[in-house]
Each structure stands twice: as C-alpha cells, then as structure tokens.
Amino acid sequence: MMANSLQATTTLHNGVKMPWFGLGVFKVSEGDEVIQSVKDAIRAGYKSIDTAAVYGNEEGVGKAIAESGVPREELFITSKVWNADQGFDSTISAFNISLKKLGLDYLDLYLVHWPVKGKYVETWKALEKLYQDGLVRAIGVSNFQVHHLKDVLEAGSIVPMVNQVEYHPHLTQTELHDFCKQNKIQLEAWSPLKQGQLLNDPTIVAIAEAHQKTPAQIILRWDLQNEVVTIPKSVKKDRIISNADIFDFQLTDKDMQQINELNKNERVGPDPDNFDF
C-alpha cells in the first residue's frame, strides 16, 4: 500500500505505525527558528518530527509540540543518542535528558546516532532496555552499514525497527536497503535532497516538468515509492508545505528507473566506516 497522504504510515515490525513523511530539524537553531518550523509543519498536517541530542534543539521541539494543540499520541517523535554518550549507563542517562528537554513521557523512536566502534552494541542493549521498560515505542539505529547491523542482530535480542541513513539519488545503498528489507528493518532517509545539490539535476528537472512538480517533490516521491521513510528539513513555511505536496501523483516505472540510475555512491555526510567518532 503506497503512501497516499501526509498521515500515511508504514507498520514497523513490532506493529507500531510510523509516518512515511516527517520534518527533520538538523541544523535548525534552538529557540524561535525550531519552534516556528515545527509548529508550521504540525499545522500543515505533519505528524512526525525528527531531532537528536546533538542538534541542540530538543527543548524548542518540545515547546512547539506543547503549543501545537495536537494530542501527543497523534505525533511521532524521534530523537537519537549522541556518540559521546554511547555505552549502556550513559545511553540511559542521555535518553532521560532528551526526554526531559522534549518535555515528554515517552518517545516514539529512539536511535543510535552513529555506530561508534566498541560501543554501539552496548548502546543497543540500553535501547532494548528502554524499549522493554515502555519508555520508547520503537528503537532503531542510524548510519549503520550491513556489518554493523549484523553485529547488533547477533548480540542483541531485538531487531532494530528502523535504520536512518543518508539516502538520495546519488546514494541509493541498494545492498543495505535489501538487507534491511530481508530483516524487516524500515529504511529512513536523511538528507534526501543531498542538501539541495540534486535540485538542478537535468534528469530530475525533466521528470519534474513532466509531472508539473518541483525537483524536490520528485525526489521525495521517489523515496516513498522505494519504500523509504523520508524527513526533509526546511525552516521556510512555504517549503515545508510544498515538500509534503507529493501525494497527488505517481512516478512511472520509467521515472523511477531513470532516478535510480543517477546513483554514484556519493555522500554529502560522513562515511560510517571512516568517521572520526
């Protein structure tokens, strides 16, 4: 069943429903900027907001949620444990700080932000405990490659529900995506527009013109048709609304194929295997 509205959800392997589309707040300033963009998104019908401890804006996200007037249970809130806090006890403690900053009683999704060598397995075990204690509705990882996922599958008792990675037409990560599908791990895209670098791509521009849509809308629709959850970031109200206007058209098989063929395994963010944690 393909996403047909901004409230459409994918069902994670533990039965929790996660919106296919959400707002990311990476590099959105704490205070007015993040409060306004989250409120604009919620007002536009967004249900999913993705933040992280290291973004430094959890308090603003929490304030926007509190002031939005939307019941907490209708929203899907994600945060992540930062690298410096990894390890069992420190992860539990970091989670509690995030929860307090957000002003919430529970999170919908909590992720291990990066696979910090020698620590991510213990960190995962802390997430399992938070999940078993009912403080998080779903747990997952971010920036994990296949070999990191295998470590967690081997050492842990719960399969991650989500893997959030850099994903866009220049980085399609098909092997990782296939592995996630086989293990019922939902893939989620960060930086789906490659920080704007794909918006002038001639192939994408031509497809956009054919559908009378923007290049951004084409890429975000491509995510969904590839069964990838996507969380584009914007602080501009009109962009937040426009990004979500992708449920009234469908890319053809040929469109999908042409976009898939743009892959060059090129990242805009760090490589999880060569990252100075």
Side-chain angles (χ1 to χ4, degrees):
M1 168 59 195
M2 198 46 247
N4 56 2
S5 79
L6 185 46
Q7 288 79 43
T9 54
T10 175
T11 304
L12 303 178
H13 73 65
N14 67 336
V16 166
K17 292 186 180 341
M18 176 181 187
W20 280 106
F21 199 89
L23 179 77
V25 296
F26 174 59
K27 288 191 173 165
V28 180
S29 308
E30 176 62 294
D32 291 345
E33 187 175 63
V34 76
I35 292 168
Q36 198 54 53
S37 57
V38 171
K39 277 186 175 173
D40 286 342
I42 292 175
R43 212 169 281 133
Y46 283 68
K47 299 296 184 194
S48 172
I49 310 293
D50 178 279
T51 184
V54 78
Y55 300 172
N57 57 20
E58 289 172 315
E59 284 176 13
V61 169
K63 198 166 194 289
I65 292 166
E67 293 173 5
S68 72
V70 173
R72 166 67 185 99
E73 61 276 10
E74 287 182 21
L75 298 172
F76 191 96
I77 311 300
T78 302
S79 194
K80 314 176 192 84
V81 56
W82 184 239
N83 305 338
D85 293 321
Q86 289 198 30
F88 190 88
D89 293 337
S90 44
T91 293
I92 303 283
S93 159
F95 172 84
N96 290 325
I97 292 167
S98 285
L99 205 56
K100 194 171 179 208
K101 284 185 174 173
L102 286 158
L104 301 175
D105 299 327
Y106 67 92
L107 281 183
D108 296 281
L109 179 63
Y110 196 49
L111 305 176
V112 182
H113 207 147
W114 288 90
V116 177
K117 207 171 179 178
K119 289 197 169 176
Y120 62 84
V121 169
E122 280 308 300
T123 304
W124 179 250
K125 288 180 177 172
L127 265 63
E128 292 183 333
K129 178 161 177 30
L130 292 166
Y131 177 70
Q132 283 154 349
D133 289 348
L135 292 165
V136 193
R137 294 176 65 230
I139 50 175
V141 295
S142 183
N143 303 303
F144 276 44
Q145 309 276 57
V146 171
H147 67 98
H148 301 120
L149 290 169
K150 283 180 174 170
D151 289 344
V152 162
L153 294 178
E154 200 177 310
S157 57
I158 298 170
V159 175
M161 286 116 204
V162 172
N163 185 18
Q164 183 187 118
V165 298
E166 181 177 347
Y167 178 89
H168 46 68
H170 283 171
L171 185 70
T172 55
Q173 309 223 50
T174 44
E175 186 203 346
L176 177 65
H177 195 179
D178 289 344
F179 182 86
C180 286
K181 279 182 187 164
Q182 284 158 16
N183 290 280
K184 298 187 167 60
I185 301 168
Q186 175 62 54
L187 201 68
E188 179 178 16
W190 64 256
S191 210
L193 306 176
K194 202 184 178 189
Q195 296 180 356
Q197 292 178 31
L198 280 156
L199 301 181
N200 300 316
D201 179 275
T203 302
I204 289 166
V205 169
I207 294 171
E209 284 166 1
H211 288 277
Q212 296 184 303
K213 287 286 177 181
T214 66
Q217 288 165 338
I218 295 301
I219 295 167
L220 297 169
R221 181 72 201 178
W222 171 81
D223 284 350
L224 298 188
Q225 287 185 216
N226 273 329
E227 299 179 5
V228 176
V229 168
T230 190
I231 44 166
K233 165 231 158 174
S234 183
V235 295
K236 298 186 176 74
K237 184 182 178 179
D238 56 347
R239 191 75 50 75
I240 288 169
I241 293 168
S242 151
N243 281 345
D245 184 19
I246 58 170
F247 298 99
D248 57 352
F249 78 105
Q250 197 145 357
L251 295 169
T252 65
D253 291 345
K254 186 185 170 201
D255 294 336
M256 291 297 289
Q257 190 54 40
Q258 284 182 308
I259 300 171
N260 289 339
E261 284 168 4
L262 297 174
N263 180 52
K264 7 179 182 177
N265 297 325
E266 192 174 278
R267 297 176 180 275
V268 72
D271 178 343
D273 281 323
N274 300 290
F275 183 34
D276 180 9
F277 297 112

